[in-house]
Amino acid sequence: MKSYNLEAFKGIIIALYSSYDAEGNIDKEAARKLARHYASTGVKGLYVGGSSGEGMLQSVEERKQMLEAVIAEVGDKLTIIAHVGAPSTRDSVDLAVHAELVGAHAVSAVPAIYYRLSSDSVESHWQAIIDSTSLPFIIYHIPQTTGFQLSKSLLIKMAEQDKVIGVKISAESTFELQQFKAAGGNEFLVLNGPDEQYLAGRSIGADGGIGGTYGVMPELFLKVEQCYVHGDMAEAQKWQFIINDLIVELLSFPSLYGACKAILSLRGFETGKPRMPLLPIKDSDQDRVEALNNRILEYILEAKG
């Protein structure tokens, strides 16, 4: 049995967008404001420095600044998972040690990127992170961007360690999610990654989810979760289908990140433009973003009602 409180990591966890000022530097006050807002919505926690947070496009120091701001604001209210994956093991360990120092509740990491690594290399990379702190560790499996396919044998081996409490699986197959849950066992968390498959993931074994589009519609994902927990699958499907329609429209912009940041700006949360090469929305798309934002807000009102 794991010695950590696994309940703290179950449910809706927002993959937090980073906040930048007009010059593209980390804006700690804006980050705190956004984190404070999310704490009021009823979500379980925040995942800081992942794909949605543009962690791979930031310096180690910038990633530390974002995490510090979030923990200072809501570290006593929400579960904070620090994504510390980096191209080098050395930077990942540095980020993990810092995460524990400032009060994160867990660390998570993708395999080191760019090089095509063997399972032994990835295991050594993750093990160095695990050994650097006393925090629980969550594997981040996203093969479509890292190029690394996590095997069940490596998952089982890693899960034997008390510190390794789960995996965030952003692979596109819910079959793989179910297989990982079966391999890890009841005391091993599986967190759904693809937002458009949240309900599918939950129904096949996921303990919750971590997602970027949660950030512009957390209330809708909370609604799906509520319906699922209460056994109302028809209502849960209805809301997942609504979410998926909204995701399709979000994906029609030059970048998902730019669209989500533009929507947050319309609501008074300035997070700046995404860092290049990620693209902001075009001026010509502003009317369409506003219309989409209004649609989302209408659905949020319905979900709350």
Side-chain angles (χ1 to χ4, degrees):
M1 182 174 180
K2 300 290 185 183
S3 60
Y4 299 95
N5 176 22
L6 300 184
E7 292 300 318
F9 301 93
K10 295 179 179 180
I12 303 297
I13 297 175
I14 295 174
L16 185 70
Y17 284 92
S18 287
S19 297
Y20 304 116
D21 61 21
E23 285 72 45
N25 301 311
I26 298 295
D27 187 332
K28 283 191 171 186
E29 287 307 311
R32 292 178 68 141
K33 179 181 178 181
L34 184 59
R36 186 165 62 248
H37 163 67
Y38 289 140
S40 72
T41 65
V43 299
K44 181 61 70 72
L46 299 174
Y47 190 86
V48 184
S51 303
S52 298
E54 305 172 59
M56 291 298 183
L57 301 179
Q58 297 172 347
S59 68
V60 168
E61 182 56 36
E62 287 176 319
R63 294 174 71 172
K64 290 179 179 179
Q65 289 173 16
M66 268 298 301
L67 184 63
E68 289 167 2
V70 171
I71 291 176
E73 190 64 38
V74 298
D76 60 341
K77 300 178 181 67
L78 297 176
T79 297
I80 307 299
I81 304 170
H83 176 255
V84 300
S88 78
T89 304
R90 182 173 181 170
D91 285 348
S92 290
V93 167
D94 185 9
L95 287 164
V97 170
H98 171 265
E100 181 171 35
L101 181 66
V102 299
H105 301 105
V107 291
S108 177
V110 294
I113 60 170
Y114 182 75
Y115 294 101
R116 289 294 182 260
L117 300 175
S118 67
S119 288
D120 288 346
S121 293
V122 173
E123 180 184 354
S124 296
H125 173 71
W126 280 336
Q127 195 62 53
I129 298 169
I130 293 163
D131 292 341
S132 69
T133 80
S134 64
L135 295 175
F137 179 78
I138 298 171
I139 294 167
Y140 186 0
H141 176 51
I142 182 167
Q144 60 268 43
T145 61
T146 65
F148 180 76
Q149 183 61 45
L150 176 62
S151 66
K152 281 202 294 183
S153 60
L154 178 55
L155 179 86
I156 291 168
K157 184 177 181 181
M158 300 296 293
E160 289 173 350
Q161 300 182 64
D162 183 58
K163 285 184 185 177
V164 182
I165 63 169
V167 58
K168 177 192 175 188
I169 176 167
S170 293
E172 296 172 354
S173 169
T174 51
F175 170 70
E176 189 173 24
L177 184 154
Q178 180 271 325
Q179 291 288 291
F180 280 4
K181 183 63 178 179
N186 291 334
E187 289 297 312
F188 187 76
L189 298 171
V190 173
L191 299 169
N192 184 79
D195 299 3
E196 64 276 14
Q197 296 178 181
Y198 181 79
L199 180 59
R202 284 290 275 134
S203 66
I204 208 165
D207 299 285
I210 300 172
T213 65
Y214 298 9
V216 295
M217 46 185 166
E219 298 87 353
L220 303 191
F221 284 93
L222 288 166
K223 185 68 173 182
V224 174
E225 174 68 10
Q226 179 188 50
C227 294
Y228 174 79
V229 168
H230 288 116
D232 190 347
M233 287 298 290
E235 189 71 4
Q237 287 176 349
K238 166 194 163 182
W239 286 100
Q240 182 70 69
F241 294 165
I242 288 170
I243 286 169
N244 288 0
D245 286 342
L246 297 171
I247 289 175
V248 167
E249 191 160 353
L250 284 167
L251 290 172
S252 72
F253 293 95
S255 80
L256 171 65
Y257 309 99
C260 288
K261 282 174 167 281
I263 286 172
L264 289 174
S265 177
L266 290 171
R267 299 178 190 174
F269 301 102
E270 296 296 342
T271 59
K273 294 180 180 179
R275 182 160 290 180
M276 292 287 286
L278 301 175
L279 295 173
I281 65 161
K282 301 174 183 176
D283 290 342
S284 58
D285 284 331
Q286 187 63 36
D287 288 346
R288 197 155 62 90
V289 170
E290 291 178 6
L292 176 57
N293 179 52
N294 290 335
R295 280 185 64 204
I296 295 173
L297 292 176
E298 288 173 4
Y299 281 128
I300 288 173
L301 285 175
E302 182 182 345
K304 287 181 174 181

